[in-house]
């Protein structure tokens, strides 16, 4: 089996492949996220990429996309001058790619002068991810809760 290769790329370079893999990502967590139907916000991703606010790492085995992780970078609202990267969607269709994606993203963000990463894992995902975050030097910081304010329409 060939090696997993992780790289940082631009949204327009991989959008079709990420959209295809996102279907598997969504299927894995759909029961836990009924309020969040799959509808990739291409407009926002293009804009974030153009302004430098998006960092996107992708994993490939041979030429096939097997994972992605993105971060949205911005200045902290309560700490002038501190750049914070908030982790967005993160998915690996194969074991071994997930942590490689995080590490590559960490290295890219550090190279871009980002001060802090806000990491998360889905509540329905493996709790061992927390230990991996700790091994990277992360510490618990906040909990994220989802509060639906409107009922999703059925049609």
């Amino acid at each position: 089996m060939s090696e997993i290769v992780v790289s940082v790329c631009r949204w327009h370079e991989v959008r079709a492949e990420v959209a295809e893999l996102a279907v598997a990502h969504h299927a894995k967590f759909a029961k836990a996220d009924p309020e969040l139907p799959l509808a990739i916000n291409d407009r926002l991703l293009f804009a974030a990429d153009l302004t430098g606010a998006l960092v996107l790492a992708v994993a490939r085995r041979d030429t096939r996309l097997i994972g992605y992780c993105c971060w949205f970078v911005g200045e902290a609202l309560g700490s002038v001058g501190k750049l914070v990267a908030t982790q967005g969607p993160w998915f690996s269709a194969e074991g071994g790619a997930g942590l490689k994606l995080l590490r590559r993203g960490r290295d890219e963000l550090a190279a871009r002068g980002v001060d802090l990463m806000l990491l998360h894992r889905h509540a329905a995902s493996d709790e061992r991810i927390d230990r991996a975050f700790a091994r990277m030097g992360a510490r618990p910081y906040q909990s994220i809760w989802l509060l639906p304010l409107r009922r999703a329409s059925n049609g």
Side-chain angles (χ1 to χ4, degrees), residues 2-13:
S2 60
E3 181 181 344
I4 295 171
V5 177
V6 177
S7 62
V8 172
C9 61
R10 305 290 303 269
W11 175 245
H12 71 274
E13 298 169 334

Side-chain angles (χ1 to χ4, degrees), residues 38-154:
L38 179 61
I40 294 173
N41 193 333
D42 221 24
R43 180 189 53 79
L44 179 61
L45 287 159
F46 271 120
D49 193 24
L50 286 172
T51 61
L54 174 69
V55 172
L56 174 61
V58 297
R60 294 184 183 280
R61 185 178 301 280
D62 296 319
T63 59
R64 187 173 59 89
L65 187 76
I66 61 168
Y68 55 81
C69 189
C70 66
W71 293 267
F72 295 94
V73 179
E75 192 170 335
L77 296 175
S79 293
V80 173
K82 288 284 186 183
L83 283 180
V84 177
T86 301
Q87 181 190 335
W90 173 35
F91 181 69
S92 172
E94 292 186 17
L99 292 179
K100 287 182 180 188
L101 286 162
L102 281 179
R103 290 183 190 114
R104 181 64 183 95
R106 175 198 58 199
D107 295 346
E108 180 67 20
L109 291 164
R112 293 185 187 198
V114 173
D115 298 294
L116 301 164
M117 289 174 72
L118 296 176
L119 303 168
H120 77 271
R121 71 168 175 84
H122 194 282
S125 64
D126 193 325
E127 292 182 5
R128 292 180 294 178
I129 294 170
D130 295 344
R131 293 193 296 275
F133 289 164
R135 284 192 303 275
M136 289 177 69
R139 61 177 170 76
Y141 174 62
Q142 294 178 348
S143 293
I144 297 174
W145 294 69
L146 182 66
L147 176 61
L149 300 177
R150 295 187 292 168
R151 293 274 180 213
S153 67
N154 292 328

